[in-house]
Amino acid sequence: MPDDQERLVADALRAQATSSGMHVVRSAPAAGEPARPPALAARWVLLLALLFGLAAGTVVAVVTLR
Protein backbone atom coordinates (compact mmCIF):
# COMPACT_ATOMS: atom_id res chain seq x y z
CA MET A 1 0.00 0.00 0.00
CA PRO A 2 2.73 2.58 0.81
CA ASP A 3 4.39 1.80 -2.54
CA ASP A 4 1.15 2.69 -4.34
CA GLN A 5 0.93 5.97 -2.45
CA GLU A 6 4.56 6.82 -3.20
CA ARG A 7 4.06 6.04 -6.89
CA LEU A 8 0.91 8.17 -6.93
CA VAL A 9 2.77 11.12 -5.39
CA ALA A 10 5.72 10.66 -7.76
CA ASP A 11 3.41 10.56 -10.77
CA ALA A 12 1.59 13.67 -9.57
CA LEU A 13 4.87 15.54 -9.12
CA ARG A 14 6.03 14.49 -12.59
CA ALA A 15 2.74 15.65 -14.07
CA GLN A 16 3.04 18.99 -12.32
CA ALA A 17 6.66 19.44 -13.41
CA THR A 18 5.76 18.71 -17.02
CA SER A 19 2.43 20.53 -17.08
CA SER A 20 3.49 22.58 -20.11
CA GLY A 21 3.13 19.45 -22.24
CA MET A 22 6.53 19.91 -23.85
CA HIS A 23 8.23 17.08 -21.94
CA VAL A 24 7.08 13.49 -21.97
CA VAL A 25 8.01 11.56 -18.85
CA ARG A 26 7.35 7.87 -18.45
CA SER A 27 6.09 6.66 -15.12
CA ALA A 28 8.40 4.60 -12.93
CA PRO A 29 8.26 0.82 -13.39
CA ALA A 30 6.37 -1.20 -10.82
CA ALA A 31 8.24 -2.86 -7.97
CA GLY A 32 8.60 -6.25 -9.70
CA GLU A 33 9.28 -5.00 -13.23
CA PRO A 34 12.86 -4.87 -14.52
CA ALA A 35 14.18 -1.53 -15.73
CA ARG A 36 14.26 -1.17 -19.51
CA PRO A 37 17.60 -0.47 -21.21
CA PRO A 38 18.03 2.80 -23.11
CA ALA A 39 16.37 2.95 -26.49
CA LEU A 40 18.31 1.68 -29.46
CA ALA A 41 17.93 5.02 -31.21
CA ALA A 42 19.77 6.77 -28.37
CA ARG A 43 22.70 4.40 -28.79
CA TRP A 44 22.85 5.13 -32.52
CA VAL A 45 22.83 8.87 -31.88
CA LEU A 46 25.69 8.55 -29.41
CA LEU A 47 27.66 6.35 -31.79
CA LEU A 48 27.18 8.79 -34.67
CA ALA A 49 28.18 11.72 -32.45
CA LEU A 50 31.35 9.88 -31.49
CA LEU A 51 32.19 9.06 -35.09
CA PHE A 52 31.55 12.62 -36.29
CA GLY A 53 33.71 13.94 -33.46
CA LEU A 54 36.55 11.64 -34.43
CA ALA A 55 36.21 12.62 -38.08
CA ALA A 56 36.22 16.33 -37.23
CA GLY A 57 39.29 15.87 -35.05
CA THR A 58 41.07 14.04 -37.85
CA VAL A 59 40.28 16.81 -40.33
CA VAL A 60 41.54 19.47 -37.93
CA ALA A 61 44.74 17.49 -37.30
CA VAL A 62 45.41 17.03 -41.02
CA VAL A 63 44.77 20.72 -41.77
CA THR A 64 46.98 21.79 -38.86
CA LEU A 65 49.88 19.55 -39.88
CA ARG A 66 49.96 20.77 -43.51
Side-chain angles (χ1 to χ4, degrees):
M1 180 94 160
D3 291 334
D4 294 337
Q5 292 174 349
E6 289 177 13
R7 186 177 307 136
L8 181 64
V9 170
D11 288 342
L13 289 173
R14 280 191 196 92
Q16 183 180 6
T18 59
S19 63
S20 65
M22 301 221 18
H23 304 284
V24 177
V25 178
R26 295 185 203 129
S27 61
E33 296 178 17
R36 294 191 316 179
L40 186 61
R43 291 182 185 164
W44 277 110
V45 169
L46 291 175
L47 178 65
L48 286 174
L50 176 69
L51 290 176
F52 285 138
L54 288 173
T58 302
V59 169
V60 168
V62 168
V63 169
T64 303
L65 292 175
R66 279 192 175 191

